[in-house]
């Protein structure tokens, strides 16, 4: 006999596992079904984020940045470490341990919160009266009034460069190289290409990125993108824009990529490894979308309204499988919102307030609108900016690249966007998110006391700069 629940959550990534926990906290009897297999083929909760995304990439970014600092930056502090070396296998093993600790942690959170957990691929079978039936690969069936689909995304495949998992890889392979490739090619200079390119460059690879877009990081503020391109080029990441990939030829020794540059001239690049990082696609395969009539949008994502309701009654969808940025914190917030809606509470989530972060060095982070977006819709704004070069803490850190820019409405002074490139941008951006969530003006930030010396003083000065009253420049 099939087991009955209030809610079936499909997928245990940051959208699904958070939704499931919030559901049980609210007294809803909940099961979470997930099909991820980790090391040795064992079930591993946490989805893309914990297994092959946010957490492992940040572990390697941190390790490789420590090496970079040791070999390039510490000498200026009077710290000498001659003959420093890297043990890639140990670095990757550390990353794997962080992943397994975290994924195990989700199982423990499920137990603590009394979330039922099932392993297998879930398929929506149909509805009997007001109860949905969901099948699982092993033939088991569960029933519930509500379904939350949180099936995430997978790497977009580039026809010209099919993955073989050894020479040509996506993020999964690129997080587990057993040694630093001498020559590393990356198709796609987006966030994965730049983060993982940074990791392997710091560990000694010659990295070349081939990017289709003629503009670098077009979603970022133009000035930030320009500063970033300058910084990455200085680090010897070779970045080619406006590229077209013609094909890839593999041999036992190397991968040869035939490509055209921005002028249409034929080029070739030979590499030991190739990472393909050209975006991700929503994961709806095997859910029986057509059979049950679940509507998809033009991009193949499950169509939802602002509260993540799908075209089917009592079926919600959250995270990478729906519109909006493909980010873990966005998925989790939607998971919480949907759980609270199912429990009869009021919920909402504002996509304009989702922070974007790139964990490169310098880090890049932003929230809200860019100058180019505001210009495009004719909103009058004023912008204030402050460089880390003039910030005492950044000087002490020896990390003075970049700036903070605050954009405020020209009439109301309400903050419309904040853009950071520089040290600890990932942490600093949260102050901006909080300010915007409370509809703060740039003057509110300017009148807030910031600790000295701290990087956050650059935020304070950027707020003062909106009104042309900076103190330190
Ligand atoms: P996912 O995490 O993809 O989880 C979906 C789960 O559902 C998976 O376990 C999948 O196996 C399972 N599933 C799918 N279909 C079924 C089915 N039919 N039945 C059962 N189970 C199913 N985001 C950030 O915010 N910060 C970062 O630093 C960051 N770094 C990243 C680095 C990399 C290399 C990558 C690839 C992504 C990164 N992301 C980052 C993005 C982040 O991982 C995703 O936005 C996030 O994981 C989306 O969460 P989700 O719950 O929607 O889906
Ligand atoms: P992306 O969208 O950031 O970048 C993909 C890049 O590939 C784009 O610049 C695109 O123009 C380029 N591209 C597409 N087709 C191409 C082609 N044929 N040839 C050459 N270039 C091509 O996607 P990415 O880097 O794959 O990451 C996927 C998602 O994962 C992102 O949407 C991001 O939200 C998430 N992510 C988030 C991170 C973070 O928050 N720090 C880190 C890593 C991933």
């Amino acid at each position: 006999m099939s087991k009955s629940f209030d809610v079936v959550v499909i997928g245990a990534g940051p959208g699904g596992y958070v939704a499931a926990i919030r559901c049980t906290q609210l007294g809803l009897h909940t099961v979470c079904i997930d099909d991820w297999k980790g090391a040795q083929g064992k079930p591993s909760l946490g989805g893309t984020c914990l297994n092959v995304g946010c957490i492992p990439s940040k572990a390697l970014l941190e390790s490789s940045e420590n090496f970079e600092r040791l070999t390039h930056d510490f000498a200026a502090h009077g710290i000498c470490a001659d003959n420093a070396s890297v043990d890639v296998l140990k670095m990757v093993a550390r990353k794997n341990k962080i992943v397994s600790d975290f994924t195990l942690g989700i199982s423990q959170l499920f137990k603590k919160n009394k979330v039922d957990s099932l392993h297998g691929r879930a398929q929506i079978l149909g509805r009997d009266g007001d109860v949905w039936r969901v099948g699982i690969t092993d033939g088991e069936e569960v029933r519930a009034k509500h379904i939350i689909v949180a099936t995430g995304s997978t790497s977009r495949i580039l026809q010209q460069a099919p993955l073989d998992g050894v020479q040509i890889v996506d993020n999964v392979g690129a997080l587990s190289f057993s040694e630093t490739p001498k020559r590393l090619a990356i198709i796609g200079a987006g966030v994965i290409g730049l983060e993982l390119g940074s990791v392997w460059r710091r560990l000694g690879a010659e990295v070349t990125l081939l990017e289709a877009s003629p503009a670098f990081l077009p979603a970022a503020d133009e000035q930030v993108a320009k500063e970033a391109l300058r910084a990455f080029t200085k680090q010897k990441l070779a970045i080619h824009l406006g590229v077209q990939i013609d094909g890839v030829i593999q041999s036992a020794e190397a991968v040869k990529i035939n490509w055209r540059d921005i002028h249409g001239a034929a080029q070739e690049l030979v590499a030991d490894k190739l990472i393909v990082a050209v975006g991700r696609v929503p994961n709806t395969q095997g859910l029986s979308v057509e059979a049950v009539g679940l509507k998809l949008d033009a991009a193949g994502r499950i169509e939802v309204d602002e509260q993540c309701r799908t075209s089917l009654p009592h079926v919600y969808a959250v995270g990478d499988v729906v519109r909006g940025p493909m980010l873990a914190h966005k998925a989790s917030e939607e998971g919480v919102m949907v759980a609270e809606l199912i429990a009869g509470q009021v919920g909402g989530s504002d996509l304009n307030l989702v922070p974007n972060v790139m964990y490169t060095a310098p880090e890049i982070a932003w929230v809200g609108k860019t100058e180019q977006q505001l210009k495009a819709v004719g909103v009058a704004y004023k912008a204030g900016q402050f460089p880390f070069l003039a910030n005492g803490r950044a000087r002490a850190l020896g990390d003075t690249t970049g700036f903070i820019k605050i954009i405020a409405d020209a009439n109301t002074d309400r903050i419309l966007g904040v853009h950071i490139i520089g040290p600890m941008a990932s942490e600093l951006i949260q102050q901006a998110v909080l300010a915007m969530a409370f509809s703060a003006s740039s003057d509110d930030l300017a009148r807030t006391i910031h600790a000295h010396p701290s990087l956050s003083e650059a935020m304070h000065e950027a707020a003062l700069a909106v009104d042309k009253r900076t103190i330190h420049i």
Side-chain angles (χ1 to χ4, degrees):
M1 218 187 75
S2 60
K3 244 181 134 182
S4 290
F5 294 88
D6 296 314
V7 184
V8 174
V9 180
I10 305 176
Y17 84 74
V18 169
I21 290 172
R22 188 71 190 119
C23 281
T24 56
Q25 282 178 348
L26 291 163
L28 298 161
H29 188 205
T30 304
V31 62
C32 184
I33 308 167
D34 187 82
D35 68 350
W36 196 282
K37 286 197 176 115
Q40 284 102 41
K42 288 196 188 132
S44 182
L45 300 174
T48 304
C49 171
L50 268 68
N51 287 289
V52 294
C54 326
I55 299 301
S57 59
K58 266 78 257 179
L60 291 185
L61 277 156
E62 195 59 41
S63 297
S64 60
E65 199 172 350
N66 282 339
F67 182 63
E68 174 96 344
R69 288 194 189 116
L70 186 65
T71 49
H72 289 78
D73 305 336
F74 280 5
H77 294 255
I79 302 169
C80 300
D82 294 337
N83 304 320
S85 65
V86 169
D87 180 340
V88 170
L89 289 176
K90 199 165 175 185
M91 199 178 275
V92 169
R94 172 184 179 272
K95 177 266 298 178
N96 291 342
K97 169 87 169 58
I98 293 171
V99 168
S100 59
D101 286 353
F102 258 118
T103 54
L104 190 68
I106 306 295
S107 320
Q108 286 159 354
L109 285 175
F110 274 4
K111 279 198 192 98
K112 181 179 159 229
N113 287 282
K114 301 194 170 38
V115 174
D116 280 47
S117 179
L118 293 174
H119 182 76
R121 195 151 184 89
Q123 181 187 7
I124 306 175
L125 298 175
R127 202 167 183 227
D128 288 344
D130 67 350
V131 174
W132 285 102
R133 291 168 42 231
V134 175
I136 308 162
T137 22
D138 63 3
E140 201 172 340
E141 191 181 306
V142 291
R143 292 167 165 254
K145 183 168 180 196
H146 309 274
I147 297 177
I148 303 175
V149 181
T151 48
S153 64
T154 50
S155 306
R156 187 162 82 77
I157 301 298
L158 196 60
Q159 234 183 344
Q160 304 94 305
L163 308 183
D164 69 357
V166 182
Q167 261 181 340
I168 308 182
V169 297
D170 63 0
N171 56 297
V172 179
L175 287 163
S176 289
F177 289 152
S178 53
E179 58 184 358
T180 303
K182 193 170 169 317
R183 298 160 301 176
L184 174 63
I186 303 178
I187 303 182
V191 62
I192 292 181
L194 289 166
E195 286 189 356
L196 295 183
S198 296
V199 165
W200 295 109
R201 199 248 343 127
R202 292 167 189 163
L203 301 179
E206 285 163 26
V207 178
T208 307
L209 293 112
L210 301 176
E211 165 59 47
S213 163
F216 184 61
L217 294 178
D221 177 86
E222 274 170 8
Q223 214 180 336
V224 167
K226 213 166 138 193
E227 179 88 359
L229 185 58
R230 192 175 326 142
F232 298 146
T233 307
K234 198 165 152 204
Q235 292 165 13
K236 299 203 165 49
L237 283 177
I239 301 171
H240 300 276
L241 301 172
V243 159
Q244 186 192 308
I245 306 295
D246 285 337
V248 164
I249 300 166
Q250 278 183 270
S251 67
E253 297 79 39
V255 193
K256 188 168 89 179
I257 302 125
N258 292 312
W259 57 284
R260 267 163 219 283
D261 65 21
I262 199 161
H263 309 293
Q267 305 281 355
E268 64 173 52
L269 174 69
V270 179
D272 303 299
K273 299 274 184 194
L274 168 62
I275 302 174
V276 180
V278 292
R280 295 180 61 83
V281 289
N283 193 1
T284 55
Q285 266 186 355
L287 270 180
S288 289
V289 168
E290 289 90 19
V292 292
L294 189 58
K295 248 198 200 165
L296 303 184
D297 66 18
R301 301 168 297 202
I302 297 176
E303 198 169 278
V304 289
D305 66 11
E306 312 85 79
Q307 292 183 316
C308 291
R309 289 189 180 83
T310 70
S311 56
L312 299 175
H314 299 281
V315 179
Y316 298 81
V318 301
D320 280 11
V321 78
V322 304
R323 86 282 173 269
M326 288 182 162
L327 295 171
H329 41 283
K330 176 263 191 186
S332 298
E333 271 318 295
E334 287 178 340
V336 168
M337 173 184 72
V338 164
E340 293 180 353
L341 288 170
I342 291 173
Q345 298 187 356
V346 180
S349 110
D350 185 350
L351 290 178
N352 189 47
L353 292 182
V354 177
N356 286 272
V357 178
M358 278 180 48
Y359 295 82
T360 45
E363 289 188 345
I364 296 169
W366 74 88
V367 60
K369 303 289 184 230
T370 59
E371 285 199 58
Q372 62 265 29
Q373 281 173 328
L374 294 172
K375 277 183 194 145
V377 293
V379 171
Y381 65 86
K382 43 193 182 161
Q385 193 172 315
F386 191 81
F388 284 109
L389 195 62
N391 173 274
R393 187 73 195 278
R395 285 282 181 117
L397 286 171
D399 197 351
T400 52
T401 308
F403 56 84
I404 300 183
K405 182 198 275 190
I406 296 180
I407 303 172
D409 188 287
N411 301 311
T412 64
D413 193 36
R414 185 175 169 166
I415 300 170
L416 302 175
V418 176
H419 304 270
I420 311 176
I421 175 164
M424 292 290 166
S426 55
E427 299 294 334
L428 291 168
I429 196 65
Q430 211 49 47
Q431 180 183 171
V433 178
L434 191 64
M436 287 178 66
F438 284 86
S439 306
S441 63
S442 78
D443 192 53
D444 289 329
L445 267 190
R447 290 180 189 280
T448 303
I449 300 172
H450 288 69
H452 174 76
S454 69
L455 295 170
S456 67
E457 284 175 295
M459 184 78 82
H460 186 222
E461 290 273 9
L464 291 167
V466 172
D467 197 29
K468 300 194 173 28
R469 52 187 166 111
T470 50
I471 303 292
H472 292 96
I473 45 168

